[in-house]
Amino acid sequence: MKVFFMQAEKIAIGNSYQCKSPILDNSIIGIVEKKYDLTALIVVADSKVQKDARLIELNHRLIVPFEAISEVS
């Protein structure tokens, strides 16, 4: 499976994307809440990791670089 990473201008606030974070072991589905210069604040919407202690501590929000965001497959 080939993964295509998103360009910053194509990432829309409120849309769901597949994201990879160094904090979590697996890719997750997240909703973009805010965009910064090189990163996005996402709210984790993936029910498989909702009870992860690290996510609970972070209020289910992560900062993810644009190159770690891709279309949901």
Side-chain angles (χ1 to χ4, degrees):
M1 179 175 82
K2 192 169 186 178
V3 177
F4 295 98
F5 295 113
M6 301 290 296
Q7 295 176 346
E9 58 273 359
K10 292 187 178 183
I11 296 171
I13 294 173
N15 286 0
S16 296
Y17 298 98
Q18 187 169 345
C19 307
K20 181 69 178 151
S21 171
I23 294 174
L24 302 173
D25 299 328
N26 299 320
S27 293
I28 51 132
I29 303 299
I31 301 168
V32 176
E33 187 171 90
K34 186 171 184 174
K35 288 172 44 175
Y36 299 102
D37 290 334
L38 301 172
T39 60
L41 172 64
I42 64 152
V43 177
V44 177
D46 192 337
S47 61
K48 292 181 275 182
V49 294
Q50 286 291 338
K51 295 185 183 195
D52 187 302
R54 295 166 288 190
L55 275 180
I56 293 169
E57 191 174 306
L58 296 169
N59 202 25
H60 293 93
R61 287 175 168 74
L62 297 170
I63 299 290
V64 179
F66 289 142
E67 56 267 0
I69 298 174
S70 60
E71 289 285 337
V72 177
S73 52

